Amino acid sequence: MPDTTMRTAAPARTVIPIAPAEAAEPRNRQRQRLAFQVAFFALFVFAPVFDLFRYDLDADHAWLLGMEWRLGLDEFLAGRESATVAGINIIVRLFLPLFAAAGVFLWAAWKWGRMYCGWLCPHFSVVETINKLMVRASGKPSVWERHRLPPWKVDGSPTRVDVRWWAVVVPAAIGFAFLWAVVLLTYLLPPAEVYGNLFRAELTRNQLIFISAATTVLSLEFLFARHLFCRFVCAVGLFQSLAWMANRNAMVVGFRRARASDCARCLPERQSACDAVCPMRLRPRNIKRHMFTCTQCRQCIDACGQTQNDNPNGPLLAWVKDEAARQNEAGFRAQKER
């Protein structure tokens, strides 16, 4: 629907209409997202325990939904089947399921962007948790951030920084890293063996080396390179972003540029709440290609809705898709040309 407010404000100028932002959704959307993250993190931890998905190096086969998942090569190795049958088994039991799962995953990313990252990914939930703890300790969500975040919360209350929170930040990062290391090992070895050896303090040499090395690397990553990993290293995120960028109709955070002055004043000293809350340290009002790693967590949208709660014109940010997404990008190009 064209933005009639924009045409009324500037009737003599040619303006490309941008679909108006939808009304802010209830604030419980973030609680909903948190519930999804917690549930998926629990699935990540317990999937090997219940043989929902893992590969057993000892048994040399995978487990899927409680059942053994083999490639059907035993008969071929025993000389009772031909290479042709073995090849068909590999295609049917390995490549077709993988391609089907990848196809569904990339289709979802093509349509909605990096929703998996923002709503399910167990790594991103750790990123957000440590971000919040680090903000309490230093006023910055990352040690690489040049400036502190605005000293106000979205609701206008002051943000308090206390260096004593570092006593929580570091143990939390190490604790998450240790948990990840142990869980990753259970995807490769029987969980009962790993957890049993861990609780009895009888880890084998290889198990101890794996857990120690993984904990060290992940601790450093969680403390110093969380956002860098998500933005430049994670292959899962990269392929989602590429699929998303290929679809001009894909869901994106839309911005009502005609009311940019309202946006600049949503926090004191002309600072913007949407910039402050983005866990990926992006500028949500930017053009799509500069939002390449957006995780669709909609924290910027909810922050905008809260700061503009008393504005009769409503928020400036909202999810848009299809023609509205195209017009949103056209608005950026028109602004640049002027």
Side-chain angles (χ1 to χ4, degrees):
M1 179 183 294
D3 191 332
T4 56
T5 301
M6 291 174 59
R7 291 207 304 262
T8 302
R13 300 171 65 179
T14 301
V15 179
I16 298 177
I18 299 176
E22 301 174 358
E25 297 189 33
R27 294 179 189 174
N28 64 6
R29 182 56 66 91
Q30 287 303 321
R31 298 192 189 97
Q32 212 174 53
R33 190 173 71 91
L34 177 61
F36 276 106
Q37 288 180 313
V38 171
F40 200 82
F41 197 96
L43 178 63
F44 166 70
V45 172
F46 292 109
V49 175
F50 297 102
D51 292 330
L52 298 179
F53 178 74
R54 69 182 180 89
Y55 187 86
D56 194 326
L57 291 176
D58 290 345
D60 198 24
H61 66 76
W63 289 86
L64 181 64
L65 301 178
M67 299 178 290
E68 294 185 6
W69 184 15
R70 299 177 182 271
L71 294 181
L73 298 180
D74 294 340
E75 294 297 311
F76 169 73
L77 295 175
R80 292 189 290 269
E81 282 185 351
S82 66
T84 301
V85 174
I88 293 174
N89 284 337
I90 292 176
I91 292 173
V92 172
R93 301 186 185 188
L94 179 62
F95 290 111
L96 285 182
L98 288 178
F99 288 151
V104 171
F105 184 76
L106 291 177
W107 173 82
W110 180 82
K111 191 174 181 65
W112 296 297
R114 292 177 66 165
M115 289 286 286
Y116 167 78
C117 294
W119 288 71
L120 299 176
C121 178
H123 180 273
F124 192 69
S125 61
V126 174
V127 170
E128 290 191 89
T129 300
I130 298 178
N131 276 5
K132 293 174 183 176
L133 293 175
M134 200 167 283
V135 167
R136 286 176 174 266
S138 65
K140 301 187 297 182
S142 168
V143 295
W144 307 116
E145 199 87 0
R146 292 184 179 181
H147 307 289
R148 286 189 174 188
L149 296 181
W152 307 277
K153 298 178 182 178
V154 176
D155 60 6
S157 61
T159 300
R160 295 175 181 173
V161 177
D162 191 335
V163 294
R164 289 176 294 182
W165 275 95
W166 282 109
V168 178
V169 173
V170 176
I174 297 174
F176 276 121
F178 177 75
L179 175 62
W180 267 65
V182 173
V183 170
L184 290 176
L185 187 58
T186 63
Y187 276 87
L188 302 174
L189 296 176
E193 175 188 338
V194 174
Y195 287 119
N197 290 349
L198 182 64
F199 293 147
R200 292 190 300 269
E202 296 177 354
L203 291 172
T204 66
R205 179 175 179 274
N206 289 339
Q207 291 172 356
L208 180 60
I209 291 175
F210 180 93
I211 292 177
S212 300
T215 299
T216 301
V217 172
L218 288 169
S219 295
L220 295 174
E221 193 265 334
F222 288 153
L223 284 171
F224 301 106
R226 300 183 308 282
H227 314 97
L228 298 177
F229 177 87
C230 289
R231 295 178 68 173
F232 304 114
V233 179
C234 179
V236 175
L238 174 64
F239 283 111
Q240 286 181 93
S241 293
L242 290 175
W244 180 56
M245 293 296 292
N247 181 13
R248 294 179 62 191
N249 293 327
M251 186 175 72
V252 68
V253 176
F255 173 49
R256 300 187 67 178
R257 295 189 62 82
R259 294 174 48 210
S261 58
D262 291 343
C263 189
R265 290 194 295 267
C266 66
L267 289 179
E269 298 182 18
R270 300 184 66 81
Q271 300 190 61
S272 300
C274 60
D275 293 348
V277 299
C278 178
M280 290 293 282
R281 313 314 306 137
L282 304 175
R283 296 185 179 277
R285 296 164 292 162
N286 220 327
I287 194 169
K288 183 178 178 180
R289 67 172 179 268
H290 294 158
M291 295 289 290
F292 184 78
T293 56
C294 174
T295 62
Q296 304 289 15
C297 70
R298 74 166 284 129
Q299 291 189 62
C300 57
I301 295 175
D302 290 340
C304 182
Q306 191 168 350
T307 58
Q308 301 294 327
N309 188 51
D310 297 328
N311 191 327
N313 294 319
L316 297 92
L317 298 179
W319 272 337
V320 294
K321 59 182 180 178
D322 300 328
E323 182 59 25
R326 287 174 175 266
Q327 295 300 325
N328 184 72
E329 293 300 294
F332 280 100
R333 291 195 296 272
Q335 182 72 19
K336 185 176 180 180
E337 291 172 1
R338 290 200 294 270

